Amino acid sequence: MRVLLNGDFPTTFKVLKASMAEFPALNGQSVSYAVLEYPAGSVNPPHTHPRAAELLFLLNGNLEVGFVDTTNKLYTQTLQQGDMFVFPKGLIHYQYNNDTKNGAIAVSAFGSANAGTASIPGSVFNTSIDSGILAKVFLVLSLKSNEI
């Protein structure tokens, strides 16, 4: 974590993790940690942690955060420095720094040494799922036929 103290603030969203993969002493301890740096206007895209809830503490700046429950209801909150927010285990969530001039820094604690992260855009669009199937699922018009 020393790189946080001696490095420059990133120009894109950045996560520095302390999970079992980076810090093997966490094996069996049911806890892990991450520091999240959000430059102005950046976003931590929709994702989920399949093995842990996340408790986010905002150290600096402002963030818009939200998660979607199992009935597809969106819960959002605008956080200010010193606020906390919990993302329930396995639910899709995001964080967005809507400040166009200032960065934000948050610390997240997880109830697992290996919370896992499944990026929704990465899981959907960086795979070999046929683009025609994705177009139908996301109601995108086909460039060839203008049909859904």
Side-chain angles (χ1 to χ4, degrees):
M1 296 291 173
R2 289 181 185 165
V3 297
L4 291 167
L5 303 175
N6 300 322
D8 294 329
F9 201 78
T11 56
T12 60
F13 171 73
K14 183 178 176 184
V15 178
L16 183 60
K17 296 179 183 179
S19 70
M20 193 171 65
E22 296 81 20
F23 193 42
L26 292 176
N27 189 14
Q29 301 305 312
S30 300
V31 66
S32 59
Y33 184 80
V35 177
L36 305 100
E37 296 176 286
Y38 308 83
S42 66
V43 64
N44 184 359
H47 63 282
T48 182
H49 304 288
R51 293 180 291 277
E54 175 181 356
L55 181 62
L56 182 133
F57 174 65
L58 187 58
L59 293 171
N60 187 31
N62 298 290
L63 287 178
E64 177 185 316
V65 300
F67 71 87
V68 179
D69 74 7
T70 58
T71 66
N72 294 325
K73 182 175 180 183
L74 174 64
Y75 293 87
T76 64
Q77 188 72 46
T78 300
L79 304 182
Q80 298 176 2
Q81 182 175 318
D83 288 346
M84 295 177 76
F85 194 84
V86 65
F87 301 103
K89 177 181 175 179
L91 296 185
I92 295 172
H93 60 281
Y94 70 92
Q95 300 100 35
Y96 172 54
N97 180 3
N98 60 7
D99 189 326
T100 58
K101 296 182 182 177
N102 301 298
I105 300 174
V107 174
S108 285
F110 301 91
S112 170
N114 184 17
T117 300
S119 168
I120 304 307
S123 296
V124 173
F125 297 107
N126 292 336
T127 64
S128 57
I129 297 174
D130 181 86
S131 59
I133 293 170
L134 292 176
K136 288 181 184 294
V137 169
F138 289 103
L139 305 176
V140 176
L141 293 176
S142 169
L143 295 176
K144 293 180 182 176
S145 66
N146 291 333
E147 294 179 12
I148 294 179

